[in-house]
């Protein structure tokens, strides 16, 4: 049975979820974290719902071996496809990133016209629109899949003109819809926030679901009496299903000082 000083499990298809871990570390720095990145099987964004549910179940079984007290699905695609199923099967509290991002978008929009960018899977699921309308029934939500952003970010082209050109093409359609709010509905997109800001202009609010997810986690831990009181010496642990060294070096660009080493595990065995 997990206790309040056990870690929070955070998982993603790979490195992108580190943007969520970063917000959690900023907002609740005493909480220990076990992070898992499924680097052997990414991307999740182009896979089917059944596959993402199967992968998520295996990862949750692994995280349970680490005695986690709560789980954050940091991946938007896995939150879109698997959260509803796995939360019914899991005996620790589990949250995703979509609800938080949708809630924030519904709160900050002034004209009720909201754009959502994400992977093909997240956009196809329609989950952001459905969830935003739970909070704001008259909202108009326009989705756009941006499959090239993930490889561009992973190539390190965060501030490159190539990224800017592709981003302009992707979001021109959304600009034509007169949105005033844009949800960055994929773990990688906050890393190209500057480019998106430049293209969308100052009048469009950019929503980073990771930010509100960290707040939701903090509140949930408090409400359930799970806030850590005695932080263990090994506060952060990182696991992947492949390419541990590459993960460590990329992770250092997002979370310097935090990621020291990464362990590789055989996720299919869980
Ligand atoms: N982590 C994924 C997401 O937020 C993006 C990367 C992938 O497709 O695996 O949807």
């Amino acid at each position: 049975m997990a206790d309040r000083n056990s870690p929070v499990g955070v998982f993603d298809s790979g490195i992108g979820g580190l943007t969520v871990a970063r917000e959690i570390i900023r907002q609740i720095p005493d909480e220990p974290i076990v992070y898992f990145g499924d680097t052997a099987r990414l991307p999740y964004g182009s896979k089917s719902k059944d596959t993402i549910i199967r992968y998520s179940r295996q990862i949750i079984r692994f995280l349970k071996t680490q005695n986690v007290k709560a789980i954050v699905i940091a991946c938007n695609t896995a939150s879109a496809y698997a959260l509803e199923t796995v939360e019914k099967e899991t005996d620790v509290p589990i949250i995703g990133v979509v609800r938080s991002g949708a809630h924030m978008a519904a709160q900050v929009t002034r004209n009720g016209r909201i754009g959502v960018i994400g992977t093909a899977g997240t956009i196809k699921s329609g989950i952001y629109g459905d969830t935003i309308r739970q909070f704001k029934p008259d909202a108009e939500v326009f989705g756009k899949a941006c499959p090239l952003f993930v490889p561009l970010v992973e190539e390190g082209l965060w501030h490159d003109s190539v990224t800017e050109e592709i981003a302009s093409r992707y979001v021109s359609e959304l600009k034509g819809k007169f949105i005033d709010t844009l949800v960055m509905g994929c773990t990688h997109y906050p890393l190209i926030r500057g480019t998106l800001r430049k293209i969308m202009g100052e009048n469009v609010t950019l929503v980073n679901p990771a930010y509100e997810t960290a707040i939701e986690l903090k509140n949930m831990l408090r409400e359930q009496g799970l806030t850590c009181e005695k932080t263990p010496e090994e506060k952060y642990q990182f696991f992947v299903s492949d390419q541990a060294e590459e993960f460590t070096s990329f992770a250092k660009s997002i979370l310097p000082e935090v990621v020291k080493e990464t362990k590789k595990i055989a996720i299919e065995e869980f």
Side-chain angles (χ1 to χ4, degrees), residues 12-14 16-17 42-46 74-78 119 122 150 154 185-188:
D12 178 49
S13 55
L42 63 78
Y44 278 15
S46 52
C75 178
N76 285 260
T77 311
T119 64
T122 299
V150 167
E154 295 199 358
C186 172
T187 47
H188 289 57

